Amino acid sequence: NAGVMQNPRHLVRRRGQEARLRCSPMKGHSHVYWYRQLPEEGLKFMVYLQKENIIDESGMPKERFSAEFPKEGPSILRIQQVVRGDSAAYFCASSPGSGRAADTQYFGPGTRLTVL
Amino acid sequence: AQSVTQLDSHVSVSEGTPVLLRCNYSSSYSPSLFWYVQHPNKGLQLLLKYTSAATLVKGINGFEAEFKKSETSFHLTKPSAHMSDAAEYFCVVVYSSASKIIFGSGTRLSIRP
């Protein structure tokens, strides 16, 4: 059973460009979580999604950031008009989705975004 | 406000000696508690979790943690450190009633030969 997959592993963008980060959950998992880890800091929760639904986006910046988890295909975290402060590691996690937030989450290897 | 505090940003121990990584959380009814480990340039891996069963939880790689409600703590321990334990450790609290997932700021564990 393949684990959570994220691609690309490394992404370089110039200021003002768009960044698209992809996350394929573990087989059978219907819940996806996105986290951001800034340099020298811990993980910060961003958004929690089910298939076609956003459950909790309280950690998402109000502008430029969006996330989706379509019925088919991976979850996408999209950052428009990137700025240097967006440089970070972005981790995705998935869980089976029993409906409880306390499900164990399985993490992907992360995408390291560098904004020049 | 709901929160989780990892009291030490960096812990350094000698190989073969005990490890203690501290975690305190703000009080709430029935939190679920997790410890994750992150090795350099890797994703996060679950070490162990507490979800209102036995208060002493055993995890992988010889780690264990004890849930102490009176102290609102969930400290991570290991009797004898190994060089491969060097990593960043995150304490995570989930407040199911509010569907809130909160990560601690992390503790970097270094192991001296």
Side-chain angles (χ1 to χ4, degrees):
Chain A
N1 188 9
V4 177
M5 296 169 63
Q6 289 186 249
N7 67 81
R9 295 292 305 278
H10 300 275
L11 181 62
V12 179
R13 286 287 178 268
R14 297 192 180 280
R15 280 180 297 170
Q17 291 184 321
E18 178 179 285
R20 280 184 176 242
L21 288 63
R22 294 175 186 77
C23 170
S24 297
M26 286 180 70
K27 187 177 180 181
H29 286 192
S30 59
H31 290 213
V32 164
Y33 311 78
W34 285 95
Y35 300 86
R36 177 165 63 175
Q37 185 177 30
L38 293 166
E40 306 303 321
E41 294 187 17
L43 284 172
K44 301 291 184 188
F45 167 78
M46 298 182 75
V47 62
Y48 165 30
L49 309 109
Q50 283 180 352
K51 289 277 187 183
E52 300 184 283
N53 281 314
I54 295 174
I55 306 301
D56 179 359
E57 58 181 347
S58 58
M60 286 280 270
K62 294 285 185 265
E63 297 176 350
R64 302 188 297 109
F65 285 72
S66 62
E68 62 176 10
F69 188 18
K71 188 176 180 181
E72 301 292 337
S75 175
I76 306 287
L77 179 67
R78 184 180 174 206
I79 311 172
Q80 294 178 291
Q81 299 174 336
V82 296
V83 300
R84 288 218 174 103
D86 296 333
S87 295
Y90 291 82
F91 286 92
C92 167
S94 73
S95 69
S98 63
R100 296 170 59 241
D103 269 347
T104 297
Q105 297 176 32
Y106 296 84
F107 283 79
T111 293
R112 278 157 181 80
L113 172 65
T114 302
V115 179
L116 302 177
Chain B
Q2 295 154 336
S3 65
V4 56
T5 303
Q6 289 186 243
L7 295 151
D8 307 295
S9 60
H10 183 211
V11 169
S12 180
V13 302
S14 297
E15 190 175 18
T17 64
V19 174
L20 170 64
L21 305 183
R22 297 182 292 169
C23 173
N24 286 89
Y25 61 95
S26 59
S27 180
S28 176
Y29 179 73
S30 298
S32 296
L33 298 148
F34 303 75
W35 275 98
Y36 286 89
V37 61
Q38 184 183 22
H39 286 92
N41 299 313
K42 301 272 187 172
L44 286 154
Q45 181 183 18
L46 177 69
L47 274 179
L48 49 80
K49 67 176 180 179
Y50 166 79
T51 53
S52 76
T55 56
L56 182 62
V57 182
K58 293 189 183 300
I60 61 171
N61 301 335
F63 284 94
E64 60 183 38
E66 186 172 8
F67 172 66
K68 292 188 176 180
K69 189 174 181 179
S70 60
E71 298 176 10
T72 60
S73 70
F74 190 57
H75 300 335
L76 181 70
T77 60
K78 182 172 180 177
S80 176
H82 191 272
M83 294 301 291
S84 61
D85 295 328
E88 187 94 18
Y89 291 80
F90 292 93
C91 179
V92 179
V93 179
V94 177
Y95 296 95
S96 297
S97 59
S99 292
K100 288 295 183 188
I101 304 164
I102 304 175
F103 276 73
S105 55
T107 298
R108 184 163 60 90
L109 177 63
S110 300
I111 312 295
R112 301 187 299 270

